[in-house]
Amino acid sequence: MKILLYNPDNGITRNFMPHLWMFLLQSLTPKEHEVILIDGNAKAMTRPELVQFCKDENIGLVGIGSMTRMVARAYLVADSLREAGFKVVMGGPHVTECPLEALGKDGGPRHADAVALGEADDYWAQIVEDAASGELKETYQPKVDEKGDDFKPSLQPYPHIPWESLDLEQFSLVPKFLRPVMSKFGEGWGKFFVVPIETGRGCPYGCEFCTVTGFFGDSIRFRSNESVVEELLRLKARAKKEKGQIAVFFIDDNLAINKKRLKGLLRDMIAAGATLPWVAQISANLLADEELVDLIADAGGRWVFIGMESIDPANMADVNKNFSKPENYQAVLDGLARRNIYAITSFIFGMDNDTPGVANRTVAEIESWAPGLPVFGQLTPFPSTPLYDRLEKSGRLTRPKHWLDFAPFVMAHDPLKMTIEDAKKETFDAWSRSYSPERNFEAINSIRNAPIDTRISHLASRLFFRGIYFPQMGTRAWLKLLFDNRKSILTLSGEGIRTWRAFRKRRRLEARSVQTAQ
Ligand code: B12
Ligand code: SF4
């Protein structure tokens, strides 16, 4: 049987990083079946095109995964496929939280033939076998222990994802026409992929707005260091072979949740030379450890994603996140910047203690820190979170099923000290001020003593990162962005070319002096 695993597009950006679940389930599929992956963020297809594709390929089962934010799109795709007679199974965080919705058992239309709840690693093969024999059941979920808790996959052993041979073409971030030229730069930039790797699952912190503790559980499971190192080495070999670059996104919710384990892993990575450039999510409270930050730098860590949420301690307490202290943020970022590591700092507006002007106050504070990539969202009640329950009980939800009429940057509940409209304006203000061409130039200038490649990567990340949240899909949007930021780009390009020429000259002289010595 041929299986299509499909991820809906997020309507904002075309390409960034593939979703791990697709590769994982592909690796866990019994060998007699063939799996095709399509990520709508990388390969845009209309619904009729997708239906035609499934007909042409004679697809026997379609698996669709989705976050809450894209679920309305996922349902539309599933509806079209089911109308054309294809069997659809849906999985991922949203359907786990709202299975009745996907199955049409909450009064709405049905979108999926089957739902896969929670972590599907241990039962995916069963779904495939049932579909192949025409006996697909309605609900699949992990086995439970005597207390009724899900058995969680141990991650040891971890499936072999064949990164060395997978077709990653749809995910390359370098446009085709630039590849021949780019492959000549440095060690080669002919292709650039960001690849998701997990080293563990679970988070015990239980922040009020987050689905992770409920979904993955509060006990943490880790892969063995050897299996992570082995996967990294395969990726590194592929990058070298293809004269391209591969960066890794460690998608663990808190890579340093067990500092001793992480230090061990980083030491093993360094010893094995498994040091690709990487980004990871780590909470601020765990980054005060100098030894850990040194190891992160030595092991290839370039960016750390930190859920800072708010600069107001009262807000942090409201969402059960006061283990993360705003007064320590500056020191943490300075410690990272000293090692040429920068942070993606994530903030949430519309929290209960926020008032109009929160964007200006927050951005002013951010601008006084080492530069990073700030991202701004709004407090969103995802289903099955403690936040959702609290707001529902207090009658504050204005759009209880906000995902069915998804509206970017429009809150689904009334904040206490501002309006929904205020929160939208604050969010836009924060984004525009933080990524204006002037601010980009200022940020790059503030790290003028850092190596040129760090500064180029910082600017490129600023230009790219905005596109995860704001539409930046077409060539026109990109050209405009490049034109607006020409001052930063020209300054760095000039310096980059001079450095490259000096490097080539040095190499030629070295080669000549070796020849003379012989
Ligand atoms: C990496 C990541 C991202 C990446 C992008 C996704 C990518 N390309 O991988 C980035 C950083 C861009 C991102 C952004 C956002 N993210 Co995010 N992200 C994650 C993260 C950390 C890891 C995802 C992952 O790969 N997990 C590991 C895999 C193995 O788990 P999984 O995806 O759940 O898959 C398993 C099962 O769910 C199941 N499964 C999944 N799909 C399917 C499909 C089928 C058919 C089947 C059978 C089974 C199945 O099988 C898998 C194996 O067990 C998760 C948290 C987490 N730990 O999962 C949050 C998470 C998915 N993100 C979340 C959110 C809210 C966001 C944002 C909206 C945040 C914001 N406020 O801006 C943005 C959206 C931006 C956008 N425009 O899309 C929430 C989603 C909650 C929800 N109910 O939807 C999560 C759960 C984190 C949280 N704090 O709650 N994210
Ligand atoms: S926000 Fe981060 S730290 Fe808090 S529960 Fe979620 S994953 Fe854990």
Side-chain angles (χ1 to χ4, degrees):
M1 179 176 67
K2 273 194 183 176
I3 301 162
L4 170 68
L5 295 181
Y6 180 78
N7 204 86
D9 76 279
N10 61 31
I12 298 178
T13 184
R14 279 272 169 258
N15 209 343
F16 165 52
M17 172 175 84
H19 288 259
L20 181 61
W21 70 266
M22 308 172 97
F23 297 97
L24 203 56
L25 296 192
Q26 184 181 37
S27 301
L28 292 165
T29 304
K31 293 293 163 251
E32 61 272 28
H33 304 286
E34 186 189 334
V35 182
I36 301 172
L37 310 182
I38 296 184
D39 188 328
N41 296 304
K43 193 172 182 160
M45 281 171 106
T46 61
R47 278 178 275 146
E49 279 168 353
L50 202 58
V51 168
Q52 192 55 48
F53 177 86
C54 290
K55 285 183 181 160
D56 294 346
E57 292 288 335
N58 194 21
I59 297 290
L61 175 68
V62 182
I64 302 180
S66 166
M67 294 186 206
T68 295
R69 161 182 187 117
M70 297 85 166
V71 80
R73 281 167 185 270
Y75 287 155
L76 286 174
V77 170
D79 294 348
S80 301
L81 290 165
R82 290 182 74 239
E83 263 165 40
F86 295 100
K87 290 281 179 208
V88 173
V89 53
M90 293 187 75
H94 186 81
V95 297
T96 298
E97 286 137 19
C98 305
L100 300 181
E101 179 181 280
L103 291 172
K105 292 188 172 183
D106 69 345
R110 182 170 186 152
H111 307 287
D113 297 285
V115 288
L117 311 185
E119 294 173 61
D121 312 50
D122 290 344
Y123 65 77
W124 167 245
Q126 188 61 51
I127 297 184
V128 173
E129 293 309 338
D130 288 356
S133 57
E135 288 168 7
L136 192 65
K137 297 182 187 63
E138 211 167 63
T139 305
Y140 290 85
Q141 52 195 322
K143 292 200 174 83
V144 289
D145 62 18
E146 61 287 351
K147 281 196 235 140
D149 295 330
D150 285 2
F151 276 116
K152 302 280 184 194
S154 72
L155 310 188
Q156 293 198 22
Y158 190 77
H160 174 96
I161 302 181
W163 294 116
E164 63 283 5
S165 55
L166 280 173
D167 177 6
L168 295 176
E169 197 51 38
Q170 60 178 310
F171 303 109
S172 175
L173 295 171
V174 180
K176 265 202 180 117
F177 72 96
L178 280 178
R179 290 182 194 170
V181 185
M182 298 292 284
S183 61
K184 298 201 171 64
F185 275 104
E187 289 165 359
W189 280 85
K191 288 183 182 171
F192 177 40
F193 302 110
V194 182
V195 168
I197 290 193
E198 60 181 340
T199 79
R201 289 186 197 165
C203 177
Y205 285 157
C207 304
E208 193 195 31
F209 52 79
C210 179
T211 58
V212 169
T213 307
F215 187 93
F216 289 101
D218 55 7
S219 67
I220 302 140
R221 295 148 280 148
F222 294 117
R223 290 169 67 178
S224 69
N225 290 358
E226 297 74 56
S227 106
V228 177
V229 167
E230 190 267 339
E231 196 168 351
L232 291 170
L233 286 173
R234 280 188 283 122
L235 282 168
K236 194 170 176 179
R238 178 170 185 167
K240 194 167 173 202
K241 193 169 145 209
E242 296 187 357
K243 286 199 175 356
Q245 299 288 323
I246 295 185
V248 165
F249 190 135
F250 285 117
I251 54 99
D252 303 40
D253 289 294
N254 207 337
L255 188 70
I257 193 71
N258 179 332
K259 282 203 276 181
K260 191 166 167 234
R261 182 297 306 199
L262 178 59
K263 286 179 186 177
L265 172 62
L266 298 175
R267 286 193 187 103
D268 287 357
M269 283 164 58
I270 296 165
T275 48
L276 298 139
W278 54 265
V279 52
Q281 312 185 92
I282 302 179
S283 55
N285 56 317
L286 301 171
L287 286 165
D289 182 326
E290 297 273 330
E291 185 188 34
L292 177 65
V293 186
D294 277 339
L295 283 167
I296 291 176
D298 293 346
R302 295 277 194 282
W303 291 93
V304 178
F305 185 108
I306 307 178
M308 292 191 163
E309 326 306 3
S310 174
I311 54 168
D312 177 353
N315 276 333
M316 298 303 274
D318 280 346
V319 296
N320 197 30
K321 195 160 182 173
N322 48 11
F323 60 85
S324 180
K325 307 275 180 225
E327 64 272 25
N328 297 340
Y329 290 168
Q330 177 159 22
V332 164
L333 297 190
D334 286 347
L336 292 172
R338 277 198 296 279
R339 286 132 175 127
N340 294 321
I341 303 171
Y342 295 92
I344 300 158
T345 51
S346 165
F347 291 89
I348 298 176
F349 293 142
M351 290 170 108
D352 283 355
N353 205 37
D354 279 346
T355 51
V358 63
N360 266 335
R361 288 191 296 277
T362 309
V363 176
E365 183 121 3
I366 294 172
E367 287 176 357
S368 72
W369 302 336
L373 300 181
V375 300
F376 306 94
Q378 293 169 328
L379 191 61
T380 307
F382 288 112
S384 292
T385 54
L387 173 69
Y388 193 97
D389 292 347
R390 171 164 73 88
L391 294 172
E392 190 176 38
K393 281 189 192 117
S394 55
R396 284 173 62 195
L397 290 176
T398 47
R399 293 184 299 137
K401 290 203 171 195
H402 52 92
W403 50 91
L404 293 181
D405 69 300
F406 176 69
F409 300 112
V410 179
M411 287 180 67
H413 71 278
D414 284 319
L416 283 184
K417 299 183 180 174
M418 62 204 301
T419 63
I420 291 178
E421 207 35 54
D422 289 336
K424 184 173 182 180
K425 185 180 169 302
E426 295 292 333
T427 314
F428 276 109
D429 286 354
W431 275 102
S432 333
R433 182 169 157 184
S434 299
Y435 289 87
S436 67
E438 297 73 36
R439 175 59 196 153
N440 285 345
F441 184 75
E442 204 178 274
I444 299 304
N445 198 34
S446 74
I447 52 167
R448 57 191 166 279
N449 295 327
I452 181 72
D453 53 334
T454 304
R455 280 177 291 147
I456 292 177
S457 130
H458 196 109
L459 179 64
S461 307
R462 288 187 85 82
L463 302 184
F464 256 111
F465 213 76
R466 185 184 170 278
I468 298 173
Y469 296 83
F470 277 86
Q472 200 165 288
M473 283 201 237
T475 315
R476 264 179 89 125
W478 270 100
L479 288 178
K480 181 173 181 324
L481 187 77
L482 296 178
F483 182 74
D484 291 347
N485 284 280
R486 61 193 179 280
K487 191 172 166 195
S488 306
I489 295 170
L490 289 174
T491 309
L492 289 187
S493 322
E495 199 184 324
I497 290 169
R498 281 194 298 280
T499 314
W500 185 57
R501 281 197 184 134
F503 170 75
R504 280 207 327 184
K505 195 171 163 192
R506 216 175 35 245
R507 266 220 314 225
R508 270 203 306 269
L509 287 174
E510 277 165 14
R512 241 182 261 158
S513 64
V514 170
Q515 271 174 2
T516 321
Q518 283 165 351

